Amino acid sequence: MKAKNILKYLIVSFLILQLTSCTNNDAEQKFDQSPTERLNAQQKELKDLLLSSEFGWKAVYFTDDSQLGGYTHLFKFAADGTVQMASDFDEDTSVLKSQYEIQLGSTVSLVFTTKSRIHLLSDSNSYPTAALRSKGYLGDFQFLYYGQETNTILFKTNRENKELRFVKATADDWTNLSKNIDMIDNVVGSDSRPLFRLLETNDGKTVHQFDFAFDKNTRYAEANSIEEGYPVTYDMGIGYTADGIIVSPPVVVADQKLTNFIYNEAEGSFTATGTGGVSATIRYSSKPLVLTDDYKALLEGNKQAVYGYIAANLYNASTTSSLFKQLINKVNATLPANQSVSRVQLVFNNAVNGSYIQYQFNGGKPSIVHFVTTTEDAANKTLILTDDGWTQSAANRAFLKDLDAELTNPKGLYVKKENFKVTYSNVIYTFTSASSSFRMTTYTL
């Protein structure tokens, strides 16, 4: 055999020996512990981690950020298997004690074993929308441990296999948790501010605007582009913080993921700031970003159209404004205990009675009708309802004065056909004041 070939064989043999040696070492390292020993080591590791933080841990739990917002939970674990817990699920942000276990199965998991604040997200009897009936808030109370990063414990939810991060909490997190609840009104918007919101993004060069709608019940927002040829949408779950909100999924602008929006009290806006001029802001608008012609079909000369606010179904609709609710409550407060507003019905172009507002009541109280004429403000695209007589005297209808004044305000009403449903398949229309934060949600009847 030639010396050249001998050298080749020697090199190949050396490489084979090296590879065999590496494989054997890896195998020895991989199997130097039994599966039980590895799980026991992970169990101890997780227990030590849970007990290691002076002020416990914080998790902002987005159970399903395709339809629900986030809920902040604070945990302070003790070695005796108890945990002090608080959350911003509702106005009760007090600290309550419950129990937990670190359980062994196919993996190591943290399980909250007695009823606690986090179980509110998995209670099938409590749900924010009809679509989630018997499903609750899609939450979990068992979390599979799969590692750690700096000041962070990484879990996967047991049912949906979604990541959940516990980050080290601070003393301020506990002290300021109630401020999360205070922030809700800032996101919903006060009666002193316009009803209309927009999301505005800036990539450092170009500004884009999106119609913005928020549902308090689900803590979920939708933002759709108002620009032709720019079919971008941002749908996001919202979680509250002491100084603003966090969103999931992030609002992505110029490849930057924006999640933390800080509240500006003077403007009522929320802004997330990136680098290089990148930002996203949720702010108020004095009128809808997109003005529709939906009101035109209600003007004189068109066929009859009927729209009804039905209290049993639409009082808590996401588009029913707080001012409208206040006025309904005010009317109900003046009525006997067994009576209340059941419907506010808008009838247009009836062959006999023309157009009118009909107030209907529970408890046997007869309806009251306000006849109106209809005109338009074509420039501002509003429908104006003008007094044309009542079926009751001024004294008998005085309790309706403030509610009726909003429907007949001289600035008119924006009329919009909505793209969602509430309980039934009827098309939803909203009637929104052009001069206040009044908005009534109705079914097409």
Side-chain angles (χ1 to χ4, degrees):
M1 183 179 294
K2 294 182 180 179
K4 185 176 180 179
N5 291 334
I6 292 173
L7 181 60
K8 285 183 178 179
Y9 282 115
L10 287 173
I11 292 172
V12 170
S13 299
F14 176 76
L15 291 173
I16 291 173
L17 287 172
Q18 287 293 102
L19 290 171
T20 303
S21 175
C22 290
T23 302
N24 289 338
N25 288 339
D26 289 346
E28 288 173 5
Q29 291 175 356
K30 185 174 181 180
F31 296 105
D32 63 353
Q33 291 182 314
S34 69
T36 300
E37 289 173 329
R38 288 197 300 276
L39 286 174
N40 286 335
Q42 284 185 320
Q43 184 183 39
K44 183 180 184 306
E45 178 180 282
L46 177 56
K47 181 177 181 180
D48 290 344
L49 278 171
L50 293 176
L51 300 176
S52 67
S53 178
E54 178 182 3
F55 299 107
W57 299 88
K58 178 173 73 172
V60 183
Y61 189 7
F62 287 87
T63 58
D64 181 356
D65 63 8
S66 70
Q67 59 181 317
L68 293 168
Y71 299 84
T72 296
H73 288 74
L74 298 173
F75 313 92
K76 186 70 171 70
F77 297 92
D80 64 358
T82 61
V83 55
Q84 301 282 350
M85 190 187 308
S87 84
D88 69 355
F89 178 83
D90 53 30
E91 292 184 356
D92 181 7
T93 58
S94 60
V95 180
L96 302 174
K97 181 185 283 190
S98 58
Q99 294 180 320
Y100 76 97
E101 292 179 2
I102 300 175
Q103 296 182 355
L104 296 180
S106 58
T107 186
V108 174
S109 62
L110 169 64
V111 184
F112 296 95
T113 54
T114 59
K115 188 174 182 179
S116 64
R117 298 290 293 168
I118 205 161
H119 288 84
L120 294 171
L121 295 176
S122 58
D123 182 0
S124 61
N125 293 318
S126 172
Y127 44 89
T129 64
L132 290 171
R133 186 185 302 273
S134 300
K135 298 178 182 179
Y137 288 77
L138 306 177
D140 211 334
F141 51 85
Q142 179 175 11
F143 305 103
L144 312 180
Y145 172 60
Y146 74 98
Q148 60 176 303
E149 295 176 356
T150 303
N151 296 326
T152 304
I153 307 176
L154 307 177
F155 293 99
K156 293 280 190 180
T157 59
N158 182 51
R159 295 175 182 173
E160 301 297 330
N161 198 38
K162 294 185 177 182
E163 183 180 85
L164 180 65
R165 291 174 169 247
F166 282 27
V167 299
K168 279 192 174 182
T170 66
D172 286 344
D173 287 329
W174 294 89
T175 302
N176 293 332
L177 185 61
S178 62
K179 293 182 179 179
N180 290 19
I181 302 302
D182 296 337
M183 191 57 63
I184 296 175
D185 288 339
N186 297 327
V187 179
V188 173
S190 72
D191 293 338
S192 63
R193 299 189 189 273
L195 273 177
F196 309 107
R197 291 278 187 77
L198 65 120
L199 170 67
E200 189 171 84
T201 64
N202 188 336
D203 62 10
K205 297 178 181 178
T206 307
V207 173
H208 296 288
Q209 292 186 331
F210 306 79
D211 194 9
F212 183 86
F214 173 70
D215 186 334
K216 178 182 176 181
N217 295 331
T218 58
R219 297 190 181 185
Y220 204 74
E222 298 179 355
N224 301 299
S225 173
I226 65 168
E227 303 169 31
E228 286 191 32
Y230 190 71
V232 176
T233 62
Y234 293 107
D235 296 340
M236 66 197 88
I238 286 178
Y240 306 118
T241 68
D243 60 0
I245 59 174
I246 58 176
V247 303
S248 179
V251 173
V252 180
V253 183
D255 296 327
Q256 296 185 37
K257 295 181 178 180
L258 305 178
T259 58
N260 295 296
F261 287 71
I262 304 303
Y263 180 60
N264 181 317
E265 186 173 4
E267 299 177 357
S269 61
F270 294 82
T271 299
T273 305
T275 60
V278 169
S279 67
T281 299
I282 300 165
R283 62 179 178 82
Y284 287 100
S285 171
S286 59
K287 63 181 181 180
L289 293 186
V290 178
L291 297 175
T292 75
D293 289 326
D294 294 338
Y295 74 93
K296 287 185 177 293
L298 314 184
L299 296 171
E300 292 182 15
N302 290 289
K303 64 180 182 180
Q304 176 174 296
V306 182
Y307 305 89
Y309 160 77
I310 300 177
N313 304 111
L314 298 176
Y315 180 86
N316 287 317
S318 62
T319 45
T320 301
S321 74
S322 60
L323 177 57
F324 176 83
K325 292 180 182 180
Q326 290 173 21
L327 294 173
I328 288 290
N329 294 341
K330 183 177 179 180
V331 169
N332 290 339
T334 66
L335 297 172
N338 66 322
Q339 295 179 356
S340 61
V341 175
S342 61
R343 292 193 184 198
V344 178
Q345 199 149 279
L346 304 180
V347 180
F348 298 96
N349 304 313
N350 177 268
V352 177
N353 294 312
S355 297
Y356 55 91
I357 306 167
Q358 183 180 38
Y359 298 95
Q360 299 182 17
F361 306 92
N362 297 310
K365 182 177 178 61
S367 297
I368 297 177
V369 172
H370 185 186
F371 297 102
V372 295
T373 59
T374 59
T375 54
E376 67 174 319
D377 179 341
N380 293 305
K381 296 193 174 184
T382 60
L383 174 72
I384 301 171
L385 307 182
T386 304
D387 171 52
D388 197 30
W390 289 78
T391 58
Q392 293 286 339
S393 67
N396 289 338
R397 66 174 192 265
F399 66 99
L400 292 172
K401 177 181 177 182
D402 292 340
L403 175 60
D404 190 79
E406 292 292 341
L407 289 169
T408 58
N409 81 82
K411 291 289 187 181
L413 301 167
Y414 297 111
V415 180
K416 183 182 178 183
K417 179 181 179 181
E418 304 289 353
N419 59 7
F420 60 87
K421 302 291 190 294
V422 179
T423 307
Y424 302 112
S425 60
N426 300 60
V427 175
I428 296 290
Y429 272 74
T430 53
F431 293 79
T432 305
S433 171
S435 61
S436 73
S437 59
F438 176 94
R439 180 168 57 209
M440 181 172 73
T441 306
T442 68
Y443 289 122
T444 304
L445 301 176

